[in-house]
């Protein structure tokens, strides 16, 4: 089960009240939606987005088992379409929107799509099967120049050239087919540190590029402001520097439109939370208030 990060802080900022409506832009395994819905009874509603069709189906089942169908509407949509979906669903009086970026624990542990270097799985890394390219195609067919650009621009990997050269070398002999093979190739090139696996940034870059995560975020965040009620809040939880750059850029734009940034300093998880849930270590929370 995905342990939601900074949930207490999200709730403290949102201050959900009786019968209020919210949007959960990234349902995942539902932690944020269920947390909010406990405070918005008896009739407050949540419109929740989950782009992954498998996770969406599991979510629909979970909502049904918990008898929350009247309170949580889950849609299998990309949050970059937030404006259109809100209109289609006739959803209104939105008091808050939460983006908890990235992928769920389920993706790493259960999806079998090669998101984790711990497992020997086919290199796929798509959140949604309608996406045209897979990690296998990028790793085995993209040019040296393209690989370097992806690793630099989407993973801030300083050794992008060296890693790309080795990948090109290896794939001439045999296609690189699995997450483990790729992780081992990167580990041969880079020195291992105790704390993080040397392939962390390469996996992050591939996932971010394949799923257009930065582009989705830019569009979704911009448009979410337009659907929000006056007085409503947007909270964004990010896990990597490039996402944070996009968030700061959009918040600056929204500030110019009159919004107030709530989190003057970024909110980080406590040491206790990181101990309980090491995935929280890189989390940053920012929030903005529509005036
Ligand atoms: C970090 S998880 C959210 C975890 C969730 N808050 C919980 O408590 O379980 C992010 C989720 O957003 C989904 N996602 C990623 N990009 C998306 C997008 N553009 N539109 C909608 N969902 C997306 C992922 O599939 C993943 O399940």
């Amino acid at each position: 089960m995905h342990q939601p990060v900074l949930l207490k802080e999200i709730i403290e900022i949102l201050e959900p009240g009786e019968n209020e409506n919210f949007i959960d832009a990234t349902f995942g395994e539902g932690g944020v939606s269920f947390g909010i819905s406990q405070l918005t009874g008896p009739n407050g509603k949540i419109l929740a987005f989950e782009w992954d069709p498998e996770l969406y189906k599991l979510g629909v089942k979970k909502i049904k088992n918990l008898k929350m169908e009247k309170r949580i509407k889950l849609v299998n949509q990309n949050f970059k379409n937030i404006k259109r979906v809100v209109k289609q669903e006739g959803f209104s009086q939105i008091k808050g929107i939460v983006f908890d970026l990235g992928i769920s624990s389920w993706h790493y542990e259960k999806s079998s799509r090669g998101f984790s270097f711990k497992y020997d799985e086919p290199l796929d890394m798509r959140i949604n099967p309608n996406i045209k390219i897979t990690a296998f195609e990028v790793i085995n067919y993209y040019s040296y120049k393209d690989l370097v650009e992806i690793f630099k621009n989407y993973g801030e990997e300083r050794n992008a050239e060296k890693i790309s050269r080795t990948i090109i070398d290896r794939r001439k002999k045999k296609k690189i087919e699995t997450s483990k093979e790729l992780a081992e190739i990167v580990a041969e090139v880079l020195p291992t540190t105790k704390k993080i696996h040397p392939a962390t940034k390469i996996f992050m870059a591939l996932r971010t590029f394949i799923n257009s995560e930065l582009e989705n975020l830019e569009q979704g965040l911009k448009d979410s402001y337009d659907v929000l009620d006056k007085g409503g809040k947007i909270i964004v939880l990010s896990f990597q520097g490039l996402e944070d750059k996009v968030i700061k850029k959009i918040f600056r734009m929204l500030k110019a439109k009159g919004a107030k940034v709530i989190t003057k300093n970024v909110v980080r998880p406590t040491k206790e939370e990181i101990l309980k849930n090491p995935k929280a270590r890189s989390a940053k929370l920012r929030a903005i208030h529509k005036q």
Side-chain angles (χ1 to χ4, degrees), residues 2 4 25-32 49-52 55 77-79 100-104 107 127 216:
H2 185 96
T26 49
F27 183 81
E29 293 170 54
V32 169
F49 290 67
E50 177 49 60
W51 195 24
D52 189 307
L55 215 40
Q77 294 275 356
N78 187 326
F79 60 58
D100 177 6
L101 300 173
I103 53 175
S104 300
H107 283 109
I127 295 176
N216 292 338

Side-chain angles (χ1 to χ4, degrees), residues 43-283:
N43 295 313
K45 297 200 169 37
I46 292 176
L47 175 63
F49 290 67
E50 177 49 60
W51 195 24
D52 189 307
E54 278 190 68
L55 215 40
Y56 160 78
K57 273 188 212 145
L58 291 173
V60 169
K61 262 195 212 151
K62 202 182 271 178
I63 292 167
K64 198 166 170 227
N65 288 342
L66 293 169
K67 300 200 174 16
M68 292 293 280
E69 304 101 307
K70 290 211 172 89
R71 306 269 319 280
I72 304 176
K73 172 75 191 278
L74 181 61
V75 292
N76 184 206
Q77 294 275 356
N78 187 326
F79 60 58
K80 78 169 182 193
N81 302 319
I82 194 161
K83 257 189 184 169
R84 175 168 57 73
V85 176
V86 163
K87 205 169 163 199
Q88 273 168 1
E89 295 294 328
F91 202 62
S92 61
Q93 295 175 357
I94 301 155
K95 298 287 178 233
I97 303 176
V98 182
F99 290 82
D100 177 6
L101 300 173
I103 53 175
S104 300
S105 302
W106 178 88
H107 283 109
Y108 292 109
E109 303 298 331
K110 297 268 165 61
S111 73
S112 311
R113 292 181 218 155
F115 286 111
S116 168
F117 32 71
K118 275 197 318 203
Y119 305 120
D120 204 16
E121 296 172 347
L123 277 173
D124 183 323
M125 294 201 197
R126 291 172 300 169
I127 295 176
N128 185 296
N130 292 330
I131 295 166
K132 298 277 183 307
I133 24 154
T134 64
F136 176 85
E137 284 155 354
V138 174
I139 289 298
N140 288 289
Y141 298 107
Y142 275 35
S143 67
Y144 168 77
K145 189 170 154 276
D146 288 344
L147 286 181
V148 171
E149 262 175 33
I150 291 169
F151 297 156
K152 275 192 178 162
N153 297 345
Y154 294 91
E156 295 182 306
E157 174 56 71
R158 275 190 279 161
N159 297 290
E161 285 90 357
K162 210 166 157 189
I163 296 167
S164 303
R165 228 177 289 125
T166 311
I167 288 174
I168 305 262
D169 219 41
R170 292 300 167 84
R171 76 188 193 192
K172 277 186 199 151
K173 294 170 199 142
K174 178 197 162 299
K175 295 258 178 292
I176 301 162
E177 293 187 52
T178 70
S179 41
K180 205 157 185 195
E181 279 176 48
L182 177 62
E184 281 170 3
I185 291 172
V186 180
E188 279 172 37
V189 181
L190 295 188
T192 314
T193 62
K194 271 193 199 128
K195 271 196 176 154
I196 51 167
H197 190 286
T200 305
K201 286 183 174 175
I202 294 298
F203 274 61
M204 175 83 83
L206 284 168
R207 205 197 80 206
T208 308
F209 170 73
I210 287 162
N211 296 294
S212 306
E213 291 181 33
L214 300 177
E215 296 79 0
N216 292 338
L217 173 61
E218 180 151 356
Q219 185 72 49
L221 195 50
K222 235 191 266 171
D223 287 355
S224 65
Y225 191 74
D226 293 341
V227 302
L228 191 66
D229 252 20
K230 222 172 170 188
K233 294 167 185 165
I234 301 175
I235 298 184
V236 196
L237 203 59
S238 67
F239 294 83
Q240 55 141 313
L242 292 164
E243 288 170 341
D244 199 41
K245 268 189 198 158
V246 174
I247 297 159
K248 284 197 277 190
K249 180 178 125 185
I250 303 296
F251 274 19
R252 271 198 302 275
M253 229 183 73
L254 298 179
K255 228 173 127 184
K257 284 190 181 178
K260 201 173 145 220
V261 175
I262 301 168
T263 46
K264 292 269 173 310
N265 297 315
V266 73
V267 178
R268 306 291 308 261
T270 57
K271 278 194 193 122
E272 291 76 44
E273 179 166 5
I274 297 172
L275 265 177
K276 270 194 231 149
N277 181 11
K279 283 202 185 103
R281 68 175 186 267
S282 52

